[in-house]
Amino acid sequence: MTALDLSSPVAVVGTGTMGQGIAQVALVAGHPVRLYDAVPGRAREAADGIVARLDRLVAKERLTAADRDAARARLRPVDDLAGLADCALVVEAVLERLDVKQGLFRALEDVVGDDCLLATNTSSLSVTAIGGALRAPGRFVGLHFFNPAPLLPLVEVVSGFATEVAHATRAYETARAWGKTPVACADTPGFIVNRVARPFYAEAFAVYESQGADPATIDAVLRESGGFRMGAFELTDLIGQDVNESVTHSVWQAFFQDVRFTPSLAQRRLVESGRLGRKSGRGWYDYSDYSNRADGAGRPEPHTAEPVAPPAYVVAEGDLGPASDLLALIREAGIEVRAEGEDNGTRLVLPGGGQLVLADGQTSVEFRDVVYFDLALDYREAGRIALSHSQDTSPRTVAEATGLFQALGKKVSVIGDVPGMIVARTVARIIDLAVEAVAKGVATEEDVDTAMRSGVNYPLGPFEWSRRLGRGWAGSLLDELHEIDPSGRYAPSLALYRYACAADKREGTP
């Protein structure tokens, strides 16, 4: 089934920020657009707001004046649902309450034609449950846009239990015709993005709650080592702490309070105190003096170690696995690398006898004299590296590890004895949830990777990351974390185990 013809009217019900954004997308694509809101006068205000944004696009030369005028002529607010009778698609963007959405769609069924596609933009409710109130749920689908809808490319096209394939396909092709990047997924809590992304926030908050590092340092490590566009604390301040926590809580409840999705108590306290982020002037960070500053001036600085002398040499035990690029960087910095052993090790021995080990889910306190270093997206390009050690680690080992990475041109953040560190444990858990989602038929590997890159700007999709790190890497790290914390939070899924074993068989590992 093909996309809707451009002559087909599209309706948007609910004219808040998201509703206006979706209406603008359909309008610019070339459709006649109807706007309806239950609050009298709101639809007309929304139409004026959309036209004002089109005017700004013309001023920025992103839209011609002729196209703006044509779009304005196609935009019509209506005063009641009867004004949507001729629409081929109705997209709902109203209050996130199941009873409200069900009531709306029952009313729409009495108005629109039998061939009209009905869609919800819900981000947290079950598409199946909303559609369950309809006489003909086969034509009901989720079209989850991301805010701001005119700018962000991703649209999750969600099939409920009763959604017919032909209607889901039409929704998918229509989103693509609108210039969006659609991904198909089954109706599961959080769909793709809000399900797979939970560890990005949860692990950052967990490191903070354990006194492992402060928010500014955690954010800096996620950005400058992990390659993420924003850190978890600054991103939730931008989203709104109440909004982010609500999604987390919804996913947790929908998965029957699965410990892997447990909300953060620290974030709960933030919401209870009214510190909701940028919109309230304070969240994890204080925005009272620079809320309009794009550069974040005034934000607390991340912990950065003072300069120390680098070691004269290191002894490499193995090829360092995912951190193998470090060996070339160390040599380029003029530091001698002495090779020892042929195993696939992930550690360097420093001149004082201490070891520098890639984060593996264990803690420094378990060993005699070890400093862990965190995973980086690209060790050559990374601007910062996190180190972790226990109180028993010798000062000389910490200094030699710090000086080594500083000699490579990296800022160094020394954090507490955090198992799995920051980037490594976050990436491992994201990979696990992604693999499990695919195994349960939520989406394909390609669509999961596309969703995480396009929806939340991850530097790599989970499966791209897994292939780079080795398909068994995430499971091994999570196994170690689970041994330390047997609550189930870090227990690798059966799907991840099968995923790694399948790779071993293809590669001939017994």
Side-chain angles (χ1 to χ4, degrees):
M1 187 173 283
T2 58
L4 292 175
D5 189 271
L6 289 180
S7 64
S8 302
V10 171
V12 177
V13 179
T15 58
T17 301
M18 183 59 78
Q20 290 185 41
I22 296 170
Q24 181 179 328
V25 170
L27 191 65
V28 171
H31 288 273
V33 173
R34 312 278 188 266
L35 288 176
Y36 172 76
D37 197 289
V39 179
R42 187 73 59 79
R44 295 185 185 280
E45 292 175 4
D48 291 341
I50 292 170
V51 170
R53 283 195 289 277
L54 296 180
D55 288 340
R56 289 195 290 272
L57 291 177
V58 172
K60 295 177 181 178
E61 299 185 346
R62 296 178 184 174
L63 187 71
T64 67
D67 286 341
R68 183 267 319 276
D69 294 342
R72 182 166 51 195
R74 294 193 302 271
L75 180 62
R76 180 159 64 89
V78 299
D79 296 326
D80 53 49
L81 290 180
L84 311 182
D86 64 337
C87 290
L89 167 64
V90 180
V91 183
E92 162 273 315
V94 302
L95 188 66
E96 284 286 273
R97 274 181 43 187
L98 180 61
D99 59 334
V100 172
K101 293 179 187 291
Q102 287 178 329
L104 169 63
F105 283 109
R106 280 195 296 263
L108 283 167
E109 273 195 310
D110 294 333
V111 171
V112 300
D114 292 341
D115 58 347
C116 178
L117 185 63
L118 299 177
T120 175
N121 183 59
T122 185
S123 61
S124 59
L125 298 177
S126 165
V127 172
T128 301
I130 300 171
L134 303 182
R135 295 191 301 272
R139 60 170 167 170
F140 187 73
V141 66
L143 277 178
H144 181 215
F145 289 77
F146 287 73
N147 194 29
L151 296 180
L152 294 185
L154 185 69
V155 177
E156 292 177 317
V157 182
V158 186
S159 293
F161 187 77
T163 303
E164 295 173 6
V165 173
H167 293 294
T169 301
R170 170 152 285 183
Y172 183 98
E173 294 300 333
T174 297
R176 184 159 62 178
W178 291 357
K180 294 300 180 182
T181 303
V183 292
C185 65
D187 184 24
T188 185
F191 309 141
I192 299 174
V193 171
N194 281 330
R195 174 178 179 157
V196 176
R198 291 349 293 162
F200 179 74
Y201 312 107
E203 293 311 306
F205 298 161
V207 172
Y208 166 74
E209 289 174 333
S210 70
Q211 303 289 296
D214 61 277
T217 299
I218 296 169
D219 277 355
V221 172
L222 286 168
R223 287 194 314 269
E224 300 171 41
S225 183
F228 292 95
R229 184 74 60 86
M230 298 179 75
F233 296 90
E234 58 188 340
L235 180 55
T236 52
D237 269 356
L238 179 63
I239 294 169
Q241 296 303 330
D242 52 340
V243 174
N244 182 261
E245 194 216 21
S246 177
V247 173
T248 299
H249 195 271
S250 175
V251 172
W252 175 62
Q253 290 283 21
F255 277 112
F256 307 103
Q257 300 186 359
D258 186 329
V259 68
R260 295 177 301 166
F261 300 101
T262 301
S264 162
L265 181 59
Q267 188 180 39
R268 174 93 289 264
R269 293 291 179 258
L270 208 64
V271 172
E272 289 174 338
S273 69
R275 297 181 179 183
L276 306 182
R278 287 183 178 269
K279 63 186 178 183
S280 69
R282 189 168 184 180
W284 294 109
Y285 301 113
D286 185 354
Y287 301 90
S288 57
D289 294 329
Y290 60 101
S291 58
N292 295 318
R293 294 284 296 278
D295 60 3
R299 181 176 300 172
E301 290 293 322
H303 170 76
T304 302
E306 294 295 325
V308 295
Y313 69 90
V314 294
V315 178
E317 295 190 349
D319 63 5
L320 299 190
S324 58
D325 287 351
L326 283 176
L327 296 180
L329 293 176
I330 293 170
R331 292 187 178 98
E332 290 169 16
I335 299 172
E336 181 186 359
V337 177
R338 301 175 183 176
E340 182 176 293
E342 299 297 329
D343 65 318
N344 189 33
T346 54
R347 59 185 172 272
L348 297 170
V349 180
L350 299 165
Q355 297 183 40
L356 184 58
V357 183
L358 175 63
D360 59 8
Q362 297 177 299
T363 63
S364 294
V365 77
E366 300 175 65
F367 304 99
R368 184 180 63 83
D369 195 12
V370 166
V371 170
Y372 278 104
F373 66 96
D374 207 351
L375 180 69
L377 172 68
D378 183 329
Y379 283 99
R380 184 171 291 276
E381 298 298 325
R384 182 179 300 270
I385 295 294
L387 302 181
S388 173
H389 68 89
S390 74
Q391 60 185 8
D392 297 327
T393 306
S394 74
R396 177 176 177 178
T397 297
V398 176
E400 289 178 340
T402 300
L404 174 65
F405 280 105
Q406 288 174 338
L408 307 186
K410 316 300 181 187
K411 296 178 181 178
V412 174
S413 291
V414 181
I415 68 172
D417 192 13
V418 177
M421 309 232 15
I422 297 171
V423 179
R425 68 197 277 178
T426 299
V427 170
R429 289 205 59 216
I430 287 171
I431 290 172
D432 185 32
L433 292 185
V435 169
E436 183 184 53
V438 170
K440 292 189 173 182
V442 173
T444 65
E445 291 186 12
E446 293 76 15
D447 276 354
V448 170
D449 277 355
T450 297
M452 303 314 291
R453 289 194 311 268
S454 300
V456 279
N457 289 313
Y458 282 8
L460 292 175
F463 291 93
E464 293 174 313
W465 224 319
S466 180
R467 287 189 289 272
R468 176 182 290 196
L469 297 170
R471 289 171 65 131
W473 175 85
S476 295
L477 188 139
L478 291 174
D479 273 334
E480 295 291 351
L481 284 169
H482 180 56
E483 185 172 338
I484 294 171
D485 176 4
S487 65
R489 178 187 181 100
Y490 299 104
S493 66
L494 177 60
L496 186 63
Y497 174 76
R498 287 173 171 160
Y499 176 79
C501 286
D504 287 343
K505 288 181 179 179
R506 282 197 298 272
E507 295 164 6
T509 303

